Amino acid sequence: MISVSPPHLSFSFHNHNHNHNHNLTLHNTTITNLNINKNKIKNPLGSFPPPKSSSLLSTPTISTHENPAKQSYPLQHFHNLCNTGNLNEAFTFLQSNLNHIVSSSNLKKPEEPIAILLQACGRHKNIELGRTLHAFVSTSPRFRNDLVLTTRILTMYSTCGSPYDSRSVFDASRKKNLFLWNALLSGYARNALFYEALFMFVDLISLTEFSLSPDNFTLPCVIKACAGLSDVKLGEGIHAFAVKTKLFSDVFVGNALIAMYGKFGLVESAVKVFERMPERNLVSWNSIMYAYSENGVFEESYGLFKRLMSGDEGLVPDVATMVTVIPLCAAQGEVNLGMLLHGLALKLGLVREVKVNNSLMDMYSKCSYLCEARVLFDLNQEKNVVSWNSMIGGYSKEGDFRRTFELLRNMQMEEKVRVNEVTLLNVLPVCVEEILFLKLKEIHGYSLRHGFLQSDELVANAFVAGYAKCGSLDYAEGVFVGMESKTVSSWNAMIGGNAQNGFPGKALDLYRLMRSSGLDPDWFTIGSLLSACARLKLLSYGKEIHGFMFRNGLELDEFIGVLLVSLYVQCGQMLQAKLFFDNTEEKSLVCWNTMITGSSQNELPCDALDIFRQMLSSNVWPDEISIIGALGACSQVSALQLGKELHCFATKAHLTKDSFVTCSLIDMYAKCGCIEQFQNIFDSIYKKDEVSWNVLITGYGIHGHGLKAIELFKSMQSAGCKPDSITFIGLLMACNHAGLVAEGLEYLGQMQSLFGIKPKLEHYACVVDMLGRAGRLNEAMKLVNELPDKPDSRIWSSLLSSCRNYGDLDIGEEVAKKLLELGPDKPENYVLISNFYARLEKWDEVRKVRQRMKDIGLQKDAGCSWIEIGGKVYRFLVGDGCLLESKKIQQTWTKLEEKIIKIGYKPDTSCVLHELEEEEKIKILRNHSEKLAISFGLLNTAKGTTLRVCKNLRICVDCHNAIKLVSKVDKREIIVRDNKRFHHFKKGFCSCGDYW
């Protein structure tokens, strides 16, 4: 008696575009269609080649010259031919020797050799020979009603991928036993015709009126169909049916239920089935472990594996076990555990199995152990396409494009394997730079020739993303336009590509087209749109997207949450960013870094440092980006002690190996006025790159050491580092602050002629300011008028400040007009113009400017200074009297003023740009923020301690003169950093030489 094997439980489901009505009328239609196919199969490949005698069962004449093995062991020879795939030869041998095979082998049933050959046809997918055998059986009076052969023919067709031929065989059979029903059910399930399988099951229990009861081979096929259709209710119904018919206790049925519930994601239900099974085999354990791992429950899956290994059931892991457990190590990065499993596979002799070898190789690749993965790959003598794809994917993930393409070329030279869609999807992510553009085009051409681009949406999307990452949006759009059906992923590739390549406006336009096509955005779309809004600073549009997310519950996603914080940060809405950040329960390191960096970039350094402290209190370990953000905040307020603490932390955490952290440390010490320290850090760098040189040159520049900056510029070139655009900004700034006008003009000319660097507005702004400071206002104005690009507000502001200093009314009024045209809503422009007129005592014009500010609701920024005492940063506003120590501060300055008056100090009331009495002007001068900060520092530090003050505006002449004398009478160094440069006050002198 022949039996139908239960289906394999490692289900692989495919989507088929069949239109099914959930009723039995379609079943009758299917039968009608299959009857047509049955008529065609009566003589499928012409007539069956007749034997020499009148019947295939007649006694043959065996030649005496034949191989003795064929005479002595005809059945064994026939088996060998079937097993090795020589089916045509086996068929010829069967034609000539059927009776001899039967008689010599004592076979009880003469149809068994035909059944063996039919099974081999299915195994080797030889449907043509199978049709020939079918034709013979159908026309043979002896075999036409043999249910065993009918079942084998039906199974052969389904195994060869022709289930509708199987249905024809089923319909043509006069007698139908349960084996035949099970064979057809199994064939439908095997070929992913899940609806047909379920209809057959309904027919079985209804048309046979339970004369044929489903058994333990029927239900696994039906359960597989339920899983394939993702129909939870139907699957639970079949489960109940199994319990009712007492088939639940069968191990095959239990295994199928575990696999089904695992696919549905109902892990608890799968576990209940597993625990209640009276008998379990290795497939049961493999199935429940697979259910756990596929649903991300890794620890429990590995726990089951340990139970299996330590249990008393005597089960030994097989290939399926290993390929279920090894990927767990890859998913969690547990390479040590993976190595133990590797050793177990070696001990069990499973490592030579290609599936196990591929799993181990994939595990090592995903854990970044590419050398170990490559050893396994090279030792594998039976590489299949999965082997090649895993190794290529490993190199691609690491960004190693050379080895990725080398393996791809080697793969194409192999005869046994062919590049498939997965290969391309592994290769394309490595194409992220412009230098790989030609490689990308080659792969594109290959894909077009082999039809991958036309048949696989994922490949087409990958090409769109690949071209976008290489900066070739035209090619990306070409692929996108050529796609017949565009899914959300297709649109996402284009929207994301434009957003990331500096075309956020185009990204938003594409989004509108996507919505008009009837598609709704997903999380990736939202992420790209938020990035685009952040770049364009489109706060209102970003808020609309935020509202859409809130209504659709997308706000909970961690990645989207970070992008929302980033949107508000980049749009300067720090209060909203902070509110959203504070309401986020699970804050990732990226989220903390976004707030720290954002606060620092939005000139809220104290907030940035507070958030950094909160992060440490929340037990979130800082990384390089956290340290860089915090150091930037320290730089803004010259918080040297905090900066030193961060330096120590970064050193202990081995973060100073990062070049960006090192450059941030140089910048922090430079902006805290510690020239010796930032020079020492630079000297300690083993491999100095352009960035480190640039930070050093800029550091000396803001301290007014122009000649030193020029010397470093020459040393940089001698060291083999090529200056870039940023290098010249630092160099020109150094020349500006040191009054090296001739040198600055010379370097501006050399940028294009010697170094091939086209000057930008930033460079011209430095030169215009340099000429203006030197009083060469006409030359500065001429340069501005000859600029290749339209001057921005920075250039006009700088020029107007120089006009104020030198009292040039004509040029100043012309510049003021240009400045208001560029920024009519910026309060700093009106303040600058007002101060310009006030310096020239044009009080009527001052009143007009201030009234205009009042009319449009603008308010000027108050002068503000910071000083760090004991690791805490204190802020002082001009005229600030809110501190408890304000009275002491005022008394301290009064005493200082009395001392410095004795050695020549006289208040310079020209710095007070208001129409007031002299006494009122002197009173205002005493409350300038830097004087308050210095007085507070003197009150709270030991004698001789260096004071470091940071100011948001340019230091006035009166404060500059007063602080010089304070440094002399108090015998300490005072370092003040205004918004232009550093002033080192010591012994009555300033490092700027009164040139600022």
Side-chain angles (χ1 to χ4, degrees), residues 57 98 110-111 114 136-137 140-146 149-150:
L57 300 179
L98 178 60
E111 70 272 14
I114 301 174
F136 165 70
V137 171
S140 170
R142 184 173 183 180
F143 298 128
R144 71 172 61 154
N145 294 320
D146 189 292
L149 286 179
T150 302

Side-chain angles (χ1 to χ4, degrees), residues 75-347:
L75 183 61
Q76 181 180 346
H77 178 67
F78 177 70
H79 268 297
N80 290 338
L81 292 173
C82 291
N83 291 335
T84 55
N86 297 313
L87 302 188
N88 290 327
E89 187 178 344
F91 174 60
T92 303
F93 182 74
L94 182 65
Q95 282 182 284
S96 304
N97 300 286
L98 178 60
N99 286 344
H100 183 62
I101 293 172
V102 173
S103 61
S104 64
S105 305
N106 296 320
L107 293 176
K108 296 180 180 179
K109 296 183 178 181
E111 70 272 14
E112 187 166 337
I114 301 174
I116 292 170
L117 186 54
L118 281 168
Q119 192 174 30
C121 289
R123 190 167 60 250
H124 294 283
K125 304 292 187 290
N126 192 337
I127 195 171
E128 305 303 328
L129 182 57
R131 290 185 192 280
T132 303
L133 289 169
H134 179 195
F136 165 70
V137 171
S138 298
T139 55
S140 170
R142 184 173 183 180
F143 298 128
R144 71 172 61 154
N145 294 320
D146 189 292
L147 277 176
V148 174
L149 286 179
T150 302
T151 304
R152 284 292 176 91
I153 291 169
L154 189 153
T155 303
M156 178 274 298
Y157 279 127
S158 66
T159 307
C160 289
S162 185
Y164 296 109
D165 282 329
S166 298
R167 182 57 189 256
S168 295
V169 174
F170 179 85
D171 290 338
S173 177
R174 294 180 182 179
K175 296 181 180 180
K176 297 180 178 68
N177 61 7
L178 186 58
F179 296 111
L180 197 63
W181 282 89
N182 285 347
L184 186 58
L185 266 170
S186 177
Y188 279 148
R190 179 187 293 113
N191 287 278
L193 298 175
F194 304 123
Y195 280 109
E196 285 83 345
L198 291 172
F199 290 147
M200 284 299 299
F201 177 68
V202 172
D203 283 352
L204 173 62
I205 60 178
S206 59
L207 298 181
T208 64
E209 297 180 352
F210 284 95
S211 61
L212 297 177
S213 298
D215 65 1
N216 58 337
F217 296 107
T218 314
L219 287 192
C221 300
V222 181
I223 293 168
K224 178 177 179 179
C226 296
L229 294 173
S230 298
D231 194 326
V232 179
K233 294 296 182 183
L234 189 56
E236 290 174 340
I238 300 299
H239 186 176
F241 180 86
V243 173
K244 186 176 181 180
T245 56
K246 299 182 179 180
L247 291 172
F248 174 75
S249 59
D250 182 80
V251 68
F252 293 133
V253 175
N255 292 345
L257 286 169
I258 292 171
M260 178 191 72
Y261 283 124
K263 184 181 184 297
F264 291 155
L266 302 174
V267 181
E268 290 184 5
S269 298
V271 173
K272 287 180 181 178
V273 173
F274 177 79
E275 297 296 347
R276 293 175 183 175
M277 289 175 68
E279 178 189 354
R280 293 191 289 251
N281 60 13
L282 187 58
V283 176
S284 313
W285 287 88
N286 291 344
S287 298
I288 190 63
M289 284 190 288
Y290 186 78
Y292 268 131
S293 63
E294 281 299 289
N295 288 280
V297 191
F298 302 124
E299 292 295 334
E300 285 79 355
S301 182
Y302 184 65
L304 278 168
F305 177 71
K306 290 196 289 186
R307 277 179 59 189
L308 171 66
M309 295 296 294
S310 60
D312 55 359
E313 298 182 34
L315 298 175
V316 179
D318 63 358
V319 172
T321 315
M322 300 308 295
V323 299
T324 299
V325 180
I326 292 171
L328 301 179
C329 306
Q332 295 188 295
E334 293 286 350
V335 69
N336 292 329
L337 181 57
M339 289 178 176
L340 290 175
L341 293 173
H342 188 178
L344 178 63
L346 282 168
K347 186 176 181 180

Side-chain angles (χ1 to χ4, degrees), residues 443-454 463:
I443 302 172
H444 189 180
Y446 179 90
S447 300
L448 285 171
R449 290 193 299 274
H450 291 82
F452 292 127
L453 205 63
Q454 299 87 333
F463 273 108

Side-chain angles (χ1 to χ4, degrees), residues 932-961:
L932 297 177
I934 289 170
S935 300
F936 182 78
L938 294 173
L939 275 171
N940 292 279
T941 59
K943 193 72 174 176
T945 303
T946 300
L947 298 183
R948 302 173 193 275
V949 176
C950 184
K951 182 175 169 63
N952 67 334
L953 302 175
R954 191 178 182 188
I955 190 171
C956 71
V957 174
D958 180 74
C959 288
H960 192 270
N961 292 337

Side-chain angles (χ1 to χ4, degrees), residues 649-662:
F649 179 90
T651 302
K652 291 177 181 177
H654 305 289
L655 298 177
T656 52
K657 295 178 181 178
D658 184 272
S659 60
F660 291 104
V661 172
T662 305

Side-chain angles (χ1 to χ4, degrees), residues 919-931:
E919 288 187 8
E920 288 295 320
K921 290 183 178 182
I922 293 172
K923 187 176 180 180
I924 289 174
L925 288 176
R926 287 172 180 158
N927 285 287
H928 277 194
S929 62
E930 56 265 57
K931 291 175 181 173

